[in-house]
Amino acid sequence: MATKLDPWGAVSIDDYSKLFKEFGISSFEEILPQIDDPHPYMKRHIIFGHRDYQSVVQAMNEKKPFAVMSGFMPSGRVHLGGKMVMEEIIWHQKHGGDAFVAIADMEAHSVRGISWQRCREMGIEEYVLSLIALGFEPSGHIYFQSKSQAVRDLAFELAAAARFSELAAIYGFSGETNVAHMVSVMVQSADILHPQLAENGGPKPVVIPVGSDQDAHIRLTRDLASRMRKFLVEEREGYVSLRGKAAGADLIEAAASHLKEMGYKKVKRYEEHIDVFDAKDAQKIEEMMREFEVEAGGYGFMPPASLYHRFMTGLTGGKMSSSKPDSHIALTEDPEEAAKKVMRAVTGGRQSLAEQKKLGGEPDKCTIYELMLFHLSEDEGELKEIFEECKSGERICGTCKKEAAERIKLFLTEHQREREIARERLSEYGLG
Ligand code: TRP
Ligand code: SF4
């Protein structure tokens, strides 16, 4: 038997390494040791990348304010992929984060043409009930985009900082794209930044757990966040420089006075920037200027952090898609039907039993193993055992499938019971 058996074999980070290099997503592995009680997705390398997540980990470890935020477009049934995002939100909530969940009805309406009423029904029926059933607590905030005046107002402000040409470049928008679709992109950026509004406690680290397909949104929003800043603080050789981007003469003057009040002596003011020669620590000035900016009526946004998880393979092989019922398992589907889908799923097994015994299976290409890894096993030891037994040919797919089918049936039955309890509790979430 080969010595290097990796129980997380279904992870082929190789496929994702492109994201690290090309887009500047950081590898999650490096940050994992700093997390006290990591979620299984973290330990199992299902969450593989991040942007700026260290800001959130630091806040979490120091018990300082931070938030978690993500959104769901109510355009179909919620499946196991949606459950992943929900679990990540709930995990951060349990670890002290203020939690925000957007039901993206403006996006569904403008992009998919779904009626407002249908958005409402699907939002509650599919997403909200499952979110609560999985453990989302009422201290968090679940809202429909169209019902949040704060989000809509912020979207308008952000739109003033965004250009059509960049949206066209990022999303492929053309002259034919409907304008509401573009607006919904601004609304999504507002979703992501609004946990930092004064009414929600002001600037703080915020993490957005998403699939890596959403990274374009994250990059745009991080850009917009910094464009909304009044000052850009940069460390130069031996001093710190503040560029007053859109600050205006009065604000630059006030900032220079503020810095002097804070004890800096060698503050030199130019027309559009300020140099502080007796400052070495840009971070400290950055914090100071953020507070100053907020006091002066600005946003002081921190760039939002993000977490990226791998996608599950569809049960039929290929991509998991909400439009292909056999490829996914919905959280609301009949447990018996789900079990049947599992029995039909593509495995990493060989053509014949004899071959399987001789060559061993390929758990890293097996949707059943993936189901176990992503959803159906809480035990690292068990996963390792399955992986090794499969590789060595001791395990046969029939046994594996039956086991997974049983577990999915149990999970869905229990989850659906929890959903009915959640239905009675909607008013606790302001959605009754
Ligand atoms: N666009 C996301 C989707 O298609 C949904 C969404 C809306 C979202 N607002 C968000 C995701 C904010 C993350 C953060 O599923
Ligand atoms: Fe997948 Fe199990 Fe078959 Fe291995 S034995 S290929 S893990 S179903």
Side-chain angles (χ1 to χ4, degrees):
M1 203 162 63
T3 46
K4 222 182 130 233
L5 283 180
D6 178 2
W8 298 282
V11 184
S12 60
I13 295 281
D14 276 359
D15 305 344
Y16 291 95
S17 63
K18 203 173 94 209
L19 296 169
F20 296 159
K21 287 200 206 84
E22 274 179 35
F23 299 109
I25 291 179
S26 310
S27 152
F28 189 77
E29 237 178 302
E30 293 152 20
I31 208 167
L32 181 63
Q34 297 167 38
I35 303 169
D36 278 345
D37 165 34
H39 188 278
Y41 291 161
M42 298 175 174
K43 287 189 273 195
R44 296 175 186 181
H45 303 197
I46 290 169
I47 293 175
F48 66 90
H50 73 97
R51 287 186 191 273
D52 262 0
Y53 189 58
Q54 67 283 350
S55 63
V56 174
V57 173
Q58 197 181 350
M60 199 156 38
N61 290 344
E62 294 173 3
K63 309 247 179 288
K64 293 203 175 129
F66 72 97
V68 55
M69 184 298 129
S70 199
F72 302 94
M73 181 153 66
S75 61
R77 297 178 82 185
V78 58
H79 57 65
L80 291 174
K83 171 178 172 274
M84 294 176 68
V85 175
M86 293 181 185
E87 277 194 32
E88 290 175 51
I89 296 170
I90 293 164
W91 184 88
H92 285 92
Q93 187 181 41
K94 293 216 180 337
H95 287 75
D98 199 5
F100 296 81
V101 175
I103 303 299
D105 60 345
M106 290 174 82
E107 185 178 354
H109 187 71
S110 63
V111 180
R112 301 279 165 85
I114 299 172
S115 77
W116 295 112
Q117 197 197 336
R118 192 80 192 102
C119 283
R120 180 86 197 171
E121 285 162 9
M122 253 187 307
I124 299 276
E125 212 30 66
E126 291 291 325
Y127 293 86
V128 174
L129 291 182
S130 279
L131 187 64
I132 298 174
L134 291 170
F136 188 88
E137 285 164 19
S139 57
H141 322 264
I142 307 173
Y143 66 95
F144 285 74
Q145 288 175 328
S146 68
K147 295 277 191 285
S148 171
Q149 193 60 43
V151 166
R152 300 181 76 144
D153 288 349
L154 180 56
F156 191 79
E157 294 293 332
L158 296 174
R163 290 176 302 278
F164 173 69
S165 58
E166 71 185 327
L167 299 190
I170 297 171
Y171 301 105
F173 289 168
S174 73
E176 300 307 307
T177 307
N178 80 67
V179 176
H181 187 170
M182 300 181 203
V183 172
S184 81
V185 170
M186 294 295 109
V187 172
Q188 171 152 355
S189 289
D191 284 333
I192 292 172
L193 292 173
H194 94 288
Q196 300 192 63
L197 291 178
E199 64 190 76
N200 291 318
K204 65 175 86 54
V206 182
V207 59
I208 321 297
V210 283
S212 46
D213 63 324
Q214 300 283 313
D215 185 52
H217 287 310
I218 302 287
R219 268 180 293 147
L220 172 68
T221 308
R222 286 168 60 86
D223 252 14
L224 292 174
S226 92
R227 279 182 221 166
M228 301 307 280
R229 294 297 307 274
K230 302 279 187 209
F231 294 96
L232 187 70
V233 178
E234 289 169 323
E235 200 165 310
R236 298 282 164 77
E237 270 175 51
Y239 68 102
V240 174
S241 177
L242 279 76
R243 209 142 44 82
K245 297 185 303 172
D250 289 352
L251 199 60
I252 293 190
E253 184 58 45
S257 313
H258 181 68
L259 283 161
K260 285 181 196 151
E261 276 163 32
M262 298 305 282
Y264 293 99
K265 297 202 172 59
K266 295 187 196 156
V267 178
K268 187 145 194 258
R269 205 212 127 176
Y270 303 84
E271 195 171 336
E272 289 191 337
H273 75 280
I274 301 170
D275 287 339
V276 189
F277 291 101
D278 51 347
K280 304 266 173 293
D281 187 355
Q283 184 129 24
K284 200 166 144 212
I285 300 235
E286 163 83 26
E287 286 312 310
M288 202 179 280
M289 291 319 292
R290 192 187 302 286
E291 273 171 35
F292 172 79
E293 184 177 320
V294 172
E295 302 247 307
Y299 293 112
F301 289 138
M302 293 179 69
S306 53
L307 282 181
Y308 302 105
H309 54 248
R310 296 172 45 219
F311 290 109
M312 290 180 69
T313 316
L315 295 177
T316 43
K319 262 181 98 175
M320 181 174 280
S321 151
S322 11
S323 56
K324 282 187 283 169
D326 264 3
S327 77
H328 71 255
I329 289 168
L331 296 180
T332 46
E333 83 178 67
D334 174 19
E336 293 291 341
E337 281 305 312
K340 282 186 200 146
K341 280 186 193 174
V342 169
M343 293 306 290
R344 289 196 299 267
V346 175
T347 72
R350 304 285 176 176
Q351 294 289 5
S352 69
L353 197 58
E355 218 178 309
Q356 176 105 345
K357 291 233 178 290
K358 196 165 121 225
L359 299 170
E362 298 180 289
D364 42 2
K365 291 185 187 154
C366 177
T367 64
I368 299 293
Y369 183 73
E370 244 189 16
L371 267 179
M372 292 287 198
L373 184 68
F374 279 64
H375 300 284
L376 300 178
S377 173
E378 287 176 5
D379 181 348
E380 309 306 312
E382 176 187 66
L383 280 170
K384 199 167 155 92
E385 196 176 300
I386 297 175
F387 191 92
E388 287 177 359
E389 283 182 7
C390 173
K391 275 277 198 199
S392 69
E394 285 165 61
R395 211 174 164 87
I396 52 169
C397 297
T399 327
C400 241
K401 281 180 164 178
K402 258 193 229 136
E403 177 79 50
E406 253 339 286
R407 289 190 194 188
I408 197 82
K409 209 157 66 180
L410 222 93
F411 164 72
L412 288 176
T413 309
E414 183 57 27
H415 179 65
Q416 289 166 16
R417 193 178 310 136
E418 294 285 347
R419 281 172 50 90
E420 290 317 306
I421 298 169
R423 197 187 295 283
E424 302 304 315
R425 293 179 53 209
L426 282 170
S427 62
E428 287 175 46
Y429 297 80
L431 293 165

